[in-house]
């Protein structure tokens, strides 16, 4: 009789690796697929690009559930429209970290239009995410789209200012 | 002894009731879970999986989590912890005001912030 009550008091006391996993609810140990653990222990592409660099697109997304904040950045070759490099920085649960890690791997070497078709279900399947963690893969999909959108809007702005310049020159002359 | 109950069933009943009381206590003593519960009573359900679009908030939380990650030593961590405590109190008050004025969107926004701060705080506790 006391056991059930004690479990509820201890609540978050039970954890299983990775220890950063947030245990929601009364202490059921959370199991992670080995791919998730791999991305957690050997994260690929963690880092930051200069967000003011015109070739860099930055996507910043988040959901409070696991305290997820996800930043995904792409470096695009202006001439080919190809993503030559990608990096991420994610705080939150293991699934969110792994999802964004996978996202950076998948966007590298692909066209910006192409990566917009990456679906969260593909990421979730790759990581065998349980239903309760599907929203993490959704975040990663959003982050990719946000990064591309940011790059596109930067390009649009710089193209607009390039067009404006000749007009100014004409006005000077 | 309750009439009609066997000893075994009485124990089970008492255990269930104890668990419910403890659950209620935990929900009501934590400001965040209390806020969520209060909103629920007004039929406003907070979806914590809903994506945040407030870029300023996201940037702030990113900076906060980075600060926690880079903090070295208990003093630095406790300093950040104190800052988070202040923010929690501020947004708790903000929730209260929003709720009393039936501004449920603002109330939800306050809860989202408190959730983020709470998670950051948990990270600090793990580091300490």
């Amino acid at each position: 009789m006391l056991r059930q009550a004690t479990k509820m008091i201890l609540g978050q006391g039970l954890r299983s690796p990775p220890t950063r996993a947030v245990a929601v609810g009364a202490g059921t140990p959370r199991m992670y697929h080995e791919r998730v653990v791999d991305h957690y222990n050997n994260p690929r592409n963690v880092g930051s690009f200069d967000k003011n660099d015109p070739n860099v697109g930055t996507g910043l997304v988040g959901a409070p559930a696991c305290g997820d904040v996800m930043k995904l950045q792409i470096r695009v070759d202006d001439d080919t429209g190809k993503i030559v490099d990608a990096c991420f920085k994610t705080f939150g649960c293991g699934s969110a970290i792994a999802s964004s890690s996978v996202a950076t791997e998948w966007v590298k070497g692909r066209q910006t239009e192409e990566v917009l078709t990456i679906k969260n279900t593909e990421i979730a399947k790759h990581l065998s995410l349980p239903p309760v963690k599907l929203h993490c893969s959704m975040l990663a999909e959003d982050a990719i789209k946000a990064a591309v959108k940011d790059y596109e809007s930067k390009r649009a702005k710089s193209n607009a200012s390039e067009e404006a310049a000749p007009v100014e020159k004409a006005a000077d002359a | 002894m309750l009439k009609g109950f066997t000893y075994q069933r009485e124990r089970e009943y008492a255990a269930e009731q104890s668990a419910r009381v403890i659950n209620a206590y935990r929900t009501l003593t934590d400001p965040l879970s209390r806020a969520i519960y209060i909103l629920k009573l007004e039929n406003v359900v907070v979806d914590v999986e809903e994506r945040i679009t407030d870029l300023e908030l996201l940037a702030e939380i990113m900076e906060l989590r980075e600060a926690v990650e880079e903090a070295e030593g208990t003093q630095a961590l406790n300093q950040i912890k104190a800052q988070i405590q202040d923010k929690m109190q501020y947004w708790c008050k903000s929730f209260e005001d929003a709720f009393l004025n039936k501004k449920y969107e603002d109330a939800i926004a306050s809860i989202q912030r408190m959730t983020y701060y709470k998670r950051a705080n948990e990270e600090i506790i793990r580091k300490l």
Side-chain angles (χ1 to χ4, degrees), chain A residues 17-102:
Chain A
T19 51
R20 269 216 208 147
V22 176
V24 175
T28 31
R30 183 150 286 167
M31 306 302 287
Y32 284 92
H33 188 265
E34 60 184 30
R35 276 200 180 131
V36 175
V37 177
D38 178 36
H39 275 275
Y40 186 86
N41 287 328
N42 311 302
R44 297 83 150 122
N45 312 318
V46 174
S48 252
F49 298 147
D50 176 12
K51 69 174 194 269
N52 297 316
D53 185 323
N55 291 71
V56 169
T58 303
L60 187 57
V61 298
C66 314
D68 296 334
V69 185
M70 196 185 278
K71 180 173 76 170
L72 189 146
Q73 292 178 301
I74 53 175
R75 189 187 299 283
V76 187
D77 182 318
D78 280 333
D79 303 316
T80 59
K82 212 189 205 191
I83 297 173
V84 294
D85 203 3
C87 70
F88 80 98
K89 208 150 204 241
T90 297
F91 292 99
C93 61
S95 302
I97 295 170
S99 296
S100 42
S101 179
V102 167

Side-chain angles (χ1 to χ4, degrees), chain B:
Chain B
M1 287 257 189
L2 295 162
K3 225 175 176 180
F5 275 82
T6 63
Y7 182 59
Q8 174 65 13
R9 278 168 61 184
E10 214 181 276
R11 285 184 68 191
E12 283 170 13
Y13 180 76
E16 275 169 37
Q17 295 307 305
S18 300
R20 288 182 70 192
V21 169
I22 290 168
N23 212 8
Y25 179 77
R26 284 181 76 207
T27 303
L28 294 177
T29 42
D30 173 59
L32 178 56
S33 54
R34 185 172 66 230
I36 295 174
Y37 180 72
I38 290 173
L39 266 190
K40 201 169 119 185
L41 291 176
E42 291 291 317
N43 286 322
V44 179
V45 179
V46 183
D47 180 9
V48 284
E49 292 179 6
E50 188 187 331
R51 265 100 70 208
I52 304 279
T53 42
D54 181 354
L55 286 178
E56 269 183 46
L57 169 58
L58 289 173
E60 182 199 320
I61 300 300
M62 186 60 99
E63 268 181 49
L64 176 61
R65 295 297 298 263
E66 280 174 343
V68 171
E69 195 182 44
E70 286 157 20
E72 289 178 19
T74 8
Q75 198 180 22
L77 284 171
N78 278 321
Q79 209 170 13
I80 304 176
K81 192 157 187 271
Q83 286 170 9
I84 294 180
Q85 281 304 103
D86 288 342
K87 293 196 180 175
M88 274 296 251
Q89 275 181 357
Y90 176 85
W91 287 99
C92 202
K93 182 92 205 343
S94 177
F95 167 81
E96 204 184 305
D97 292 339
F99 179 77
L100 291 173
N101 291 313
K102 295 198 188 294
K103 298 224 168 96
Y104 296 133
E105 292 300 317
D106 292 344
I108 291 177
S110 299
I111 285 182
Q112 287 170 338
R113 276 191 179 257
M114 290 203 287
T115 309
Y116 268 122
Y117 294 135
K118 188 174 180 196
R119 297 274 177 251
N121 203 43
E122 284 165 6
E123 187 60 35
I124 292 181
I125 292 176
R126 269 190 282 265
K127 271 191 95 171
L128 279 172

